[in-house]
């Protein structure tokens, strides 16, 4: 299912033209418009789920993690990268279509802000 008001659904369907780093029948990955590191990609399922809490497909969860691995490899950062899923506004979620961030290319501090 897609949500016609969702920007990530429009990206996944091709309605908003975006260069994909990876593309499978289940998910796509692409560069974040507001990068927080030299490399900052997003992995999103083609199907709309508002947040991790709504993502009820365990097989798809695994595929999205595989997408993070493979995207990091394609970006050339597979030795050092961070994968983040923000869930809820206070945790920093701004787009309500579940997505994994993959960040790398610089030292990343812990804990995050
Ligand atoms: P979050 O704050 O965890 O919900 O992350 C949403 C990210 O999505 C944020 O880093 C900016 C990015 N983003 C929002 N709109 C667009 C868009 O239209 N294109 C791309 N490439 N990234 C977007």
């Amino acid at each position: 299912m897609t949500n016609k008001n969702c920007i990530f659904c429009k990206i996944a369907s091709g309605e908003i033209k975006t260069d994909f780093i990876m593309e499978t029948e289940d998910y796509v990955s692409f560069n974040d418009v507001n990068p927080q590191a030299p490399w900052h990609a997003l992995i999103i399922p083609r199907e709309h789920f508002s947040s991790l809490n709504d993502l009820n497909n365990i097989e798809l969860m695994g595929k999205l993690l595989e997408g993070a691995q493979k995207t990091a490899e394609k970006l050339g950062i597979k030795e050092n990268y961070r994968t983040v899923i923000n869930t809820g506004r206070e945790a920093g979620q701004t787009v309500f279509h579940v997505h994994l961030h993959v960040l790398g290319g610089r030292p990343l501090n812990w804990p995050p802000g």
Side-chain angles (χ1 to χ4, degrees), residues 8-87:
F8 282 2
C9 284
K10 291 179 182 173
I11 287 175
S13 70
E15 185 180 338
I16 294 177
K17 283 267 166 277
T18 305
D19 288 330
F20 294 141
I21 301 164
M22 282 195 64
E23 185 175 8
T24 74
E25 63 181 292
D26 299 296
Y27 62 83
V28 299
S29 66
F30 53 91
N31 289 318
D32 194 294
V33 75
N34 183 23
Q36 301 301 313
W39 299 107
H40 185 171
L42 302 171
I43 295 89
I44 67 171
R46 290 187 185 273
E47 190 174 346
H48 182 85
F49 300 92
S50 296
S51 77
L52 182 60
N53 290 341
D54 292 329
L55 179 53
N56 54 8
N57 179 334
I58 289 176
E59 192 182 346
L60 181 57
M61 288 177 178
K63 288 178 176 174
L64 294 173
L65 280 174
E66 174 199 61
Q69 274 182 349
K70 290 188 170 173
T71 296
E73 187 167 3
K74 284 211 168 201
L75 294 176
I77 57 170
K78 73 171 183 177
E79 302 305 329
N80 295 284
Y81 64 95
R82 181 170 295 166
T83 307
V84 172
I85 303 175
N86 295 322
T87 303

